[in-house]
Amino acid sequence: MKKFISTVKNIFSIEDLRVRIVNTIGFLIIFRLGSFIVLPGVDPSKLGGTPEGIFGLIDTFLGGAFSNASIFGLGIMPYISASIVLQLLTVGVPYFQKMQKEGESGRKRINQITRVLTILITIAQGIGYVSATILPTGAVMVSTSLFMFSSLVLLSAGTMFCMWLGEKITEKGIGNGISMLIMIGIISRFPGAIIAEGVEKGTSGMLLLIIEALVLFFVVVGVIALTEATRRIPVQYAKQVVGGKVYGGQRQYIPIKVNASGVMPIIFAQSLMFVPALIAQIWAGESDIANYIGTTFSDFTSWQYNLLFAALIIIFTFFYTAITVNPEQIAEDMKRNGGFVPGIKPGAPTSEFIDGIISKITLPGSILLAAVAILPALAIIAGVGGEFAQFYGGTSLLIMVGVIMDTLRQIESYLLMRHYEGMMKSGNLKNNPSNYQVA
């Protein structure tokens, strides 16, 4: 406890870090306040409750702004969609690949394209959002055409403002701004989930609630291990004599994450899991098979749903890892800098060696990721409340763990630069870049 208090004092004794933390808190408060500003022309008392399915997932990411019909009702999600599209284009389209390799000027052009695409996606999603979730509730008190126009303008402005907040957090705060906005939306639902679970269990179920909290603790520890687990590939750099001085000759490591794809496979798989039920609705009542598929895949606790969900996650993990981790580029960069893997020839053999390692660690990583994704369904089957069960795994928990660990690493670097002891007893968080340099 004394060490923790001492670490907190050290954090706030660094002026730059203190200002950044205060700025981050201020920007996050603005984001949360905006989540409660309802679109003009909407009667909040007539809005429905917490949505389910993909809408429920979006509402969790946005901290309730989606179900509140807020001006931040779409939040940062259109920007994330646009970023994913541009990321895929830079992998498969030569024009965007060339743009990405142009350095700072190329990144600026990609950012401009991303912003324009964000506005277009916001308008498209805004039409669906208003038509599917607000108008059917009868909460609109003005003409439909006027409400649609004003809502699209305000939702687009809200999304761009959220994007600006995220950039300001990255620039003047601590952590990745976009990720912080998503994380604060998820965490904002946690106190309510605990209270709802406690009310549901009652006084007689306090022991069960404690057991659930302990299980959640160990699940979080397991997710941290999965997020931080790496396979380190040793790289030896040849010695070079320049002007009588010896450079290089040291061994470093390339950290390859076991879960290099992060939460993207779950997001991709989750977006496809609504297709079977949607298609089955077309032939609902006309075919027993269609009725069976519609009923089965509308229930995310069914074993059929979870089996297909897990299989899609494993497939998408391999796919996303393949397009984001390029063994050939890694081998080429090593060769250009005079580095080599001990016992492996530079060039193509090194690329094949790295590719083999990635394939070996991606399989267990994808299986564990699939297990984390279906944990909320297993928790509900075991008797945990639906709202509290969302924190037992899935996208929400992975995002929270990833963002918190990234933020802690940034704070750790500030402490170590000022010669303070780090946040961990060892002085270095796992995956800190300094951990991969050996003299």
Side-chain angles (χ1 to χ4, degrees), residues 44 110 140 205-206 237 285 289 331 436:
I110 290 177
V140 178
M206 289 304 297
Y237 286 91
I289 297 178
Y436 303 117

Side-chain angles (χ1 to χ4, degrees), residues 117-246:
L117 186 59
T118 298
I119 296 175
L120 297 177
I121 292 177
T122 303
I123 294 173
Q125 291 184 353
I127 294 173
Y129 171 54
V130 173
S131 302
T133 63
I134 301 178
L135 292 179
T137 62
V140 178
M141 300 180 294
V142 296
S143 66
T144 302
S145 57
L146 176 61
F147 177 74
M148 179 67 74
F149 175 78
S150 62
S151 296
L152 292 179
V153 172
L154 289 173
L155 289 172
S156 299
T159 294
M160 299 307 292
F161 184 73
C162 289
M163 188 173 67
W164 179 82
L165 281 177
E167 292 176 350
K168 286 301 177 183
I169 291 175
T170 303
E171 178 186 350
K172 299 182 179 295
I174 195 81
N176 180 282
I178 303 300
S179 301
M180 290 288 286
L181 294 181
I182 297 176
M183 185 199 69
I184 198 65
I186 296 172
I187 289 182
S188 67
R189 307 296 292 269
F190 189 65
I194 295 179
I195 293 173
E197 188 70 9
V199 171
E200 182 180 344
K201 293 292 185 290
T203 307
S204 59
M206 289 304 297
L207 178 60
L208 187 58
L209 182 61
I210 293 173
I211 294 174
E212 291 178 0
L214 287 175
V215 173
L216 177 60
F217 171 78
F218 287 110
V219 169
V220 172
V221 171
V223 172
I224 292 174
L226 174 62
T227 304
E228 299 297 301
T230 58
R231 166 68 159 85
R232 300 196 303 175
I233 300 176
V235 180
Q236 184 71 40
Y237 286 91
K239 293 183 179 180
Q240 297 179 354
V241 180
V242 181
K245 293 184 178 181
V246 180

Side-chain angles (χ1 to χ4, degrees), residues 30 70 129 235 319 332:
I30 293 173
S70 162
Y129 171 54
V235 180
F319 169 75
E332 183 64 27

Side-chain angles (χ1 to χ4, degrees), residues 320-375:
Y320 200 79
T321 302
I323 66 175
T324 53
V325 183
N326 189 345
E328 295 180 0
Q329 185 65 42
I330 296 175
E332 183 64 27
D333 292 340
M334 287 170 50
K335 185 178 179 180
R336 188 183 304 113
N337 295 318
F340 61 92
V341 178
I344 307 295
K345 293 182 179 180
T350 299
S351 175
E352 294 174 0
F353 174 75
I354 295 175
D355 185 59
I357 289 179
I358 292 173
S359 299
K360 290 177 183 177
I361 66 176
T362 299
L363 178 60
S366 64
I367 294 174
L368 290 173
L369 187 63
V372 171
I374 64 175
L375 274 177

